[in-house]
Structure formats: C-alpha cells, structure tokens
Amino acid sequence: MVEKTLKGILVAIAALIALAYTFGYDYLFKGIRETYLRGEAGSSIDDGTYFKSHTIAKGNSIPWVKDSLYNKKSLSKDLTEDLKQSKTASFLIIKNGKLIHEEYWDGYSQNSKTNSFSMAKAVTVMLVGKAIEQKKIKKFDEKFASFFQTYNNVPFGKDLTLANLAEMEAGLNWDENYNNPFLPNAKAYYGNSLEKAVLLRSFKEQPGTQFEYQSGSTQLLGFALRKSLNTTIAEYASETLWQPLGMEQNAEWNTDDFGMEKTFCCINSNSRDFAKLGQLFLNDGEFNGQQILNQQLIKEMRTPTTLSKG
C-alpha cells in the first residue's frame, strides 16, 4: 500500500513538471530554488549572484569627499529603529555633494552589492537618452516597430513609441503583480528568456492614453536600446555612466540565459555608487565638471507626464 502511494505521488510530481514545461511555467522551479529553498519569501536584494550577469566596469575611481562632520552625529533612536524594522541594509546622507553620514546593518558594508530593483528603470531611460544624444537612436518619439517590425502587425503595436515605454504609457497587457508567480513579473525575473516573457506581449489599449506602471515597458525599452548598440547594455552603461562618474566598484547587471539585461531591475552595486546616480540628477546631469547627461533629458525625467498626474 505504501509503495503504491509513493508511486502515485511520484507520478503526480512528474505530471506537474511536464505540465509546467508544456505551458511555459518551468521558471517556477528556479523561483522556488532561489527563494523558499534559501529561506526567503520572495525576491531579495541579495539575489544577484544567483543569476547570470554582465559586468558594468568602473574606470578610475573618484571616491566621495567626506564632510568635516562625517559620522559625527548619530541618527535619532526612532529613525534607527525604523530603518532596522524595515530591514534597511545601508543609509547614506549626501549634503552639498559630500558624504556626511554612512551606516550599515546586518553584515552589510560599503563594499556590499545589492539589487537595485526598479532603480534600473531610471538607469535604462538615462541610457536611452544618452543613445539619442549620440545619435544611436533617433528620438524618444521613434516607433518601437522600427526596431522590431513584427509590432507593425500587432494591434496597437504599430503606434507604440519609445516615449510611451519610458513614460509608462505603453498600454501593455501586463499585470504588475509581485506576489502571483504565474504572472509576467515572475516569468521575466526568474525565466530563462526575456524575449519569451516580454517581447511578444499583447496590448490592452492604445499606447499613450493611460499611465500604468509596468516593468514590461522598461524591458521593451531595453530591447530597443540593445538593438541600437554594437555592444551590451552593461558595457554601454560602463562607457557612459560608471566610468565618467568615477564609480568605486564594478557592478553586475543580471541577464537572462541569452545575455539580455533585465532592464526593469537587477543592477547589483553598492550604496555609494548608487548615490552618485542620485547626485547626477541633482546636478542636472553634470559631474566633476563634465556634462554626462543632457540637461533637457534630466528635466524631462523629473517632470510628471499629464497622464501620470491624474
């Protein structure tokens, strides 16, 4: 009886595995392995080493200048408690371009690399803006179908622009749900092919008619960027951002199994270098006397669209 029961369980497991592969849910196995089997309830800031990646190489490092008051004043007890309760790994304060406070918890340090998650979306838009400045891409109003002609045959697809993708007004059939493993975010994050997960998505409405935050939009933007380059997106990020900004460490940008960067997430870097991206925005695209990003691009990225205000 026990033997028959065991055989029945094994057959059922084999059937579930076969069904998962048949219907494109095989990414669930990687998701389970990299979350629950590591004691996590979902994706985490330490995921980077569990995925393939491309290196964003630094150049000559330009460390942050420390303010004369660097770490001389402790954070308030309430703020410290809030940071610990929210499982904050690091907390930096930059004032007037100088590092005035820096603190880490739970074994993290200034050299720890953690997942940027959606900060990568802003980086992707910055890179597209730079590609336009360098005439690798015509303009943000360029049609996505000029990069992927099959979109001319997709309902609403022929009208989709890079601006629609950057502004989260793409109209994709995409449910931005982080808890349901059967929805597109999980497939894009844990799956082996971003092309299968994102590139062939359908639309539910006319692009440019409604604001809706969708990770798939930035990933499509990444596909267009990659097609306009003669190199990887990570190498382009190194050339246009990491090296000019004098980042202190190399970063890693997670990819799928085919070497496509996950442009909706997954730049793994340290807090000091992430802070330089923020400082670049505050400085209107300028750093160390060099105009790294066009001022107009920064202005447009700061300005809410009409649809996003509603």
Side-chain angles (χ1 to χ4, degrees):
M1 182 66 180
V2 173
E3 186 177 346
K4 285 184 178 181
T5 301
L6 182 58
K7 283 183 178 179
I9 293 173
L10 292 175
V11 169
I13 292 173
L16 287 172
I17 292 173
L19 286 170
Y21 277 91
T22 300
F23 292 100
Y25 291 111
D26 49 298
Y27 66 88
L28 292 173
F29 302 125
K30 184 176 181 65
I32 291 170
R33 184 172 70 249
E34 306 305 354
T35 54
Y36 304 127
L37 297 184
R38 290 199 291 119
E40 301 284 353
S43 56
S44 79
I45 60 174
D46 300 315
D47 283 348
T49 57
Y50 298 98
F51 297 94
K52 293 181 178 181
S53 63
H54 286 154
T55 297
I56 308 176
K58 72 179 186 66
N60 295 322
S61 296
I62 304 175
W64 281 100
V65 174
K66 293 181 179 178
D67 190 270
S68 60
L69 297 177
Y70 173 76
N71 275 7
K72 290 187 176 179
K73 185 176 181 180
S74 299
L75 299 177
S76 70
K77 183 178 178 181
D78 288 344
L79 176 56
T80 301
E81 188 60 30
D82 285 343
L83 292 170
K84 289 181 177 179
Q85 287 292 324
S86 61
K87 297 183 179 180
T88 298
S90 63
F91 186 78
L92 276 65
I93 299 174
I94 312 295
K95 183 179 181 181
N96 298 326
K98 294 182 180 180
L99 184 61
I100 195 169
H101 191 88
E102 180 176 31
E103 197 162 349
Y104 300 88
W105 295 272
D106 295 331
Y108 293 95
S109 70
Q110 70 180 59
N111 296 318
S112 298
K113 294 180 182 180
T114 55
N115 191 337
S116 69
F117 287 111
S118 287
M119 191 193 308
K121 292 181 171 69
V123 174
T124 299
V125 175
M126 291 159 72
L127 293 175
V128 171
K130 190 67 178 179
I132 291 171
E133 180 186 334
Q134 295 180 338
K135 303 189 185 308
K136 298 176 185 295
I137 294 174
K138 292 179 182 177
K139 54 185 178 179
F140 270 107
D141 285 336
E142 188 170 1
K143 295 290 179 65
F144 186 74
S146 68
F147 298 89
F148 295 92
Q149 277 135 32
T150 53
Y151 272 71
N152 281 315
N153 305 318
V154 177
F156 299 131
K158 65 182 177 62
D159 300 319
L160 181 69
T161 67
L162 301 188
N164 295 147
L165 296 170
E167 294 169 356
M168 295 292 176
E169 297 171 5
L172 294 177
N173 184 17
W174 184 283
D175 186 349
E176 189 75 8
N177 186 309
Y178 303 103
N179 298 316
N180 189 329
F182 297 99
L183 292 178
N185 271 58
K187 187 171 186 178
Y189 192 78
Y190 294 108
N192 66 349
S193 171
L194 286 164
E195 183 174 329
K196 289 180 180 179
V198 184
L199 194 54
L200 301 178
R201 300 297 301 184
S202 60
F203 293 77
K204 61 184 179 182
E205 58 199 4
Q206 178 73 28
T209 60
Q210 184 172 322
F211 174 85
E212 184 176 352
Y213 185 90
Q214 297 176 325
S215 290
S217 292
T218 314
Q219 189 57 54
L220 287 179
L221 192 63
F223 273 115
L225 174 62
R226 178 66 186 87
K227 201 152 192 180
S228 71
L229 304 174
N230 294 320
T231 185
T232 67
I233 293 175
E235 288 171 337
Y236 190 59
S238 168
E239 173 193 328
T240 58
L241 291 176
W242 255 247
Q243 292 184 49
L245 285 171
M247 297 301 202
E248 295 186 23
Q249 293 184 50
N250 292 341
E252 275 69 45
W253 202 329
N254 289 140
T255 71
D256 65 8
D257 287 355
F258 301 93
M260 179 63 206
E261 286 85 353
K262 298 177 182 179
T263 50
F264 68 97
C265 73
C266 311
I267 297 173
N268 299 275
S269 188
N270 65 88
S271 298
R272 285 187 172 193
D273 287 347
F274 280 143
K276 281 193 175 181
L277 295 172
Q279 188 68 52
L280 185 64
F281 264 76
L282 287 176
N283 291 354
D284 297 323
E286 186 270 339
F287 175 77
N288 203 30
Q290 180 182 357
Q291 196 67 42
I292 294 173
L293 291 177
N294 187 285
Q295 289 185 20
Q296 183 61 31
L297 171 67
I298 298 297
K299 181 180 178 180
E300 290 174 358
M301 290 184 71
R302 287 176 181 161
T303 306
T305 65
T306 301
L307 292 175
S308 66
K309 291 178 183 177

Short mmCIF file of all heavy atoms in Angstrom, two decimals, residues 10 15 31 50 59 73 82 91-92 94 102 107 115 177 185 217 231 240-241 247 260 271 296 309:
data_model
loop_
_atom_site.label_atom_id
_atom_site.label_comp_id
_atom_site.label_asym_id
_atom_site.label_seq_id
_atom_site.Cartn_x
_atom_site.Cartn_y
_atom_site.Cartn_z
N LEU A 10 4.90 10.13 -6.97
CA LEU A 10 5.95 10.38 -7.95
C LEU A 10 5.38 10.64 -9.35
O LEU A 10 5.86 11.51 -10.08
CB LEU A 10 6.93 9.19 -7.98
CG LEU A 10 7.79 9.00 -6.73
CD1 LEU A 10 8.60 7.72 -6.84
CD2 LEU A 10 8.70 10.20 -6.52
N ALA A 15 4.01 14.48 -13.56
CA ALA A 15 2.98 15.08 -14.42
C ALA A 15 2.97 16.60 -14.26
O ALA A 15 2.85 17.33 -15.26
CB ALA A 15 1.61 14.50 -14.06
N GLY A 31 12.42 29.84 -9.43
CA GLY A 31 11.88 30.74 -8.42
C GLY A 31 11.83 30.10 -7.05
O GLY A 31 12.19 30.72 -6.05
N TYR A 50 22.74 34.76 -7.99
CA TYR A 50 22.02 33.55 -8.40
C TYR A 50 21.57 33.61 -9.86
O TYR A 50 20.89 32.70 -10.35
CB TYR A 50 20.81 33.32 -7.49
CG TYR A 50 21.24 33.09 -6.05
CD1 TYR A 50 21.21 34.13 -5.12
CD2 TYR A 50 21.71 31.85 -5.62
CE1 TYR A 50 21.62 33.94 -3.82
CE2 TYR A 50 22.12 31.65 -4.32
CZ TYR A 50 22.08 32.69 -3.43
OH TYR A 50 22.50 32.51 -2.13
N GLY A 59 35.89 52.80 -14.13
CA GLY A 59 37.15 53.30 -14.64
C GLY A 59 38.02 53.71 -13.46
O GLY A 59 38.15 52.95 -12.49
N LYS A 73 27.56 62.80 14.06
CA LYS A 73 26.27 62.89 14.73
C LYS A 73 25.48 61.62 14.48
O LYS A 73 25.30 61.21 13.34
CB LYS A 73 25.49 64.11 14.23
CG LYS A 73 24.17 64.33 14.97
CD LYS A 73 23.48 65.60 14.51
CE LYS A 73 22.18 65.81 15.28
NZ LYS A 73 21.48 67.06 14.85
N ASP A 82 13.32 52.53 12.98
CA ASP A 82 12.53 52.39 11.76
C ASP A 82 13.34 51.72 10.65
O ASP A 82 12.85 50.86 9.92
CB ASP A 82 12.03 53.75 11.27
CG ASP A 82 10.89 54.29 12.11
OD1 ASP A 82 10.27 53.50 12.86
OD2 ASP A 82 10.62 55.50 12.03
N PHE A 91 22.34 53.24 4.92
CA PHE A 91 21.70 54.56 4.95
C PHE A 91 22.80 55.60 4.80
O PHE A 91 23.69 55.72 5.64
CB PHE A 91 20.96 54.76 6.28
CG PHE A 91 20.16 56.03 6.35
CD1 PHE A 91 18.94 56.13 5.72
CD2 PHE A 91 20.64 57.13 7.06
CE1 PHE A 91 18.19 57.31 5.78
CE2 PHE A 91 19.90 58.31 7.13
CZ PHE A 91 18.67 58.39 6.49
N LEU A 92 22.74 56.35 3.70
CA LEU A 92 23.74 57.38 3.42
C LEU A 92 23.07 58.75 3.32
O LEU A 92 21.93 58.84 2.84
CB LEU A 92 24.46 57.10 2.10
CG LEU A 92 25.65 56.13 2.12
CD1 LEU A 92 25.21 54.73 2.50
CD2 LEU A 92 26.34 56.12 0.76
N ILE A 94 24.00 62.50 1.75
CA ILE A 94 24.90 63.35 0.97
C ILE A 94 24.40 64.78 1.09
O ILE A 94 23.23 65.06 0.84
CB ILE A 94 24.93 62.94 -0.52
CG1 ILE A 94 25.09 61.42 -0.68
CG2 ILE A 94 26.00 63.70 -1.27
CD1 ILE A 94 26.39 60.86 -0.21
N GLU A 102 27.03 57.76 7.01
CA GLU A 102 27.05 56.46 6.36
C GLU A 102 26.94 55.38 7.43
O GLU A 102 27.72 55.35 8.38
CB GLU A 102 28.37 56.32 5.58
CG GLU A 102 28.56 55.02 4.84
CD GLU A 102 29.86 55.04 4.04
OE1 GLU A 102 30.84 55.70 4.47
OE2 GLU A 102 29.90 54.40 2.99
N GLY A 107 25.44 43.02 8.72
CA GLY A 107 26.59 42.47 8.00
C GLY A 107 26.90 43.14 6.67
O GLY A 107 27.88 42.79 6.01
N ASN A 115 20.74 44.43 -4.97
CA ASN A 115 19.91 44.58 -6.16
C ASN A 115 19.23 45.95 -6.20
O ASN A 115 18.56 46.34 -5.24
CB ASN A 115 18.85 43.46 -6.15
CG ASN A 115 18.10 43.34 -7.46
OD1 ASN A 115 18.02 44.28 -8.24
ND2 ASN A 115 17.54 42.17 -7.70
N ASN A 177 2.13 42.56 -10.78
CA ASN A 177 1.83 41.86 -9.53
C ASN A 177 3.08 41.12 -9.08
O ASN A 177 3.64 40.31 -9.82
CB ASN A 177 0.67 40.88 -9.75
CG ASN A 177 0.20 40.23 -8.47
OD1 ASN A 177 0.98 39.69 -7.70
ND2 ASN A 177 -1.11 40.27 -8.23
N ASN A 185 5.65 39.34 -14.21
CA ASN A 185 6.82 39.79 -13.46
C ASN A 185 7.71 38.63 -13.03
O ASN A 185 8.94 38.69 -13.16
CB ASN A 185 6.39 40.59 -12.23
CG ASN A 185 6.22 42.06 -12.53
OD1 ASN A 185 5.44 42.41 -13.40
ND2 ASN A 185 6.94 42.92 -11.84
N SER A 217 7.26 47.45 -19.79
CA SER A 217 7.55 48.62 -20.62
C SER A 217 9.04 48.91 -20.65
O SER A 217 9.62 49.15 -21.72
CB SER A 217 6.79 49.84 -20.08
OG SER A 217 5.41 49.70 -20.26
N THR A 231 27.23 46.81 -28.72
CA THR A 231 27.80 46.22 -27.51
C THR A 231 26.65 45.86 -26.57
O THR A 231 25.48 46.08 -26.89
CB THR A 231 28.77 47.22 -26.85
OG1 THR A 231 29.40 46.60 -25.74
CG2 THR A 231 28.02 48.47 -26.36
N THR A 240 29.24 55.13 -20.51
CA THR A 240 28.55 56.43 -20.43
C THR A 240 28.23 56.89 -19.01
O THR A 240 27.97 58.07 -18.79
CB THR A 240 27.24 56.37 -21.23
OG1 THR A 240 26.41 55.32 -20.72
CG2 THR A 240 27.52 56.11 -22.70
N LEU A 241 28.23 55.96 -18.03
CA LEU A 241 27.89 56.33 -16.66
C LEU A 241 28.95 55.92 -15.65
O LEU A 241 29.49 56.75 -14.92
CB LEU A 241 26.53 55.72 -16.27
CG LEU A 241 25.29 56.28 -16.98
CD1 LEU A 241 24.05 55.50 -16.55
CD2 LEU A 241 25.10 57.76 -16.67
N MET A 247 32.83 55.65 -10.50
CA MET A 247 32.28 54.69 -9.54
C MET A 247 33.39 53.93 -8.83
O MET A 247 34.47 53.70 -9.38
CB MET A 247 31.34 53.70 -10.25
CG MET A 247 30.13 54.34 -10.89
SD MET A 247 29.07 55.23 -9.73
CE MET A 247 27.51 55.24 -10.62
N MET A 260 20.62 38.95 -22.37
CA MET A 260 19.87 40.21 -22.40
C MET A 260 19.70 40.73 -20.99
O MET A 260 19.19 40.02 -20.11
CB MET A 260 18.49 39.98 -23.04
CG MET A 260 17.62 41.24 -23.09
SD MET A 260 18.34 42.53 -24.13
CE MET A 260 17.62 44.00 -23.38
N SER A 271 25.98 51.07 -2.25
CA SER A 271 25.20 52.27 -1.94
C SER A 271 25.92 53.55 -2.35
O SER A 271 25.28 54.51 -2.81
CB SER A 271 24.88 52.31 -0.45
OG SER A 271 24.09 51.21 -0.09
N GLN A 296 18.31 68.69 -20.69
CA GLN A 296 16.91 68.55 -21.11
C GLN A 296 16.38 67.17 -20.76
O GLN A 296 15.22 67.03 -20.34
CB GLN A 296 16.78 68.83 -22.61
CG GLN A 296 15.35 68.79 -23.13
CD GLN A 296 14.45 69.83 -22.48
OE1 GLN A 296 14.91 70.90 -22.09
NE2 GLN A 296 13.16 69.51 -22.35
N LYS A 309 -0.16 62.43 -13.72
CA LYS A 309 -0.69 63.32 -12.68
C LYS A 309 -2.10 62.92 -12.28
O LYS A 309 -2.53 63.15 -11.15
CB LYS A 309 -0.70 64.76 -13.19
CG LYS A 309 0.66 65.38 -13.37
CD LYS A 309 0.52 66.79 -13.93
CE LYS A 309 1.87 67.42 -14.18
NZ LYS A 309 1.74 68.77 -14.79
#
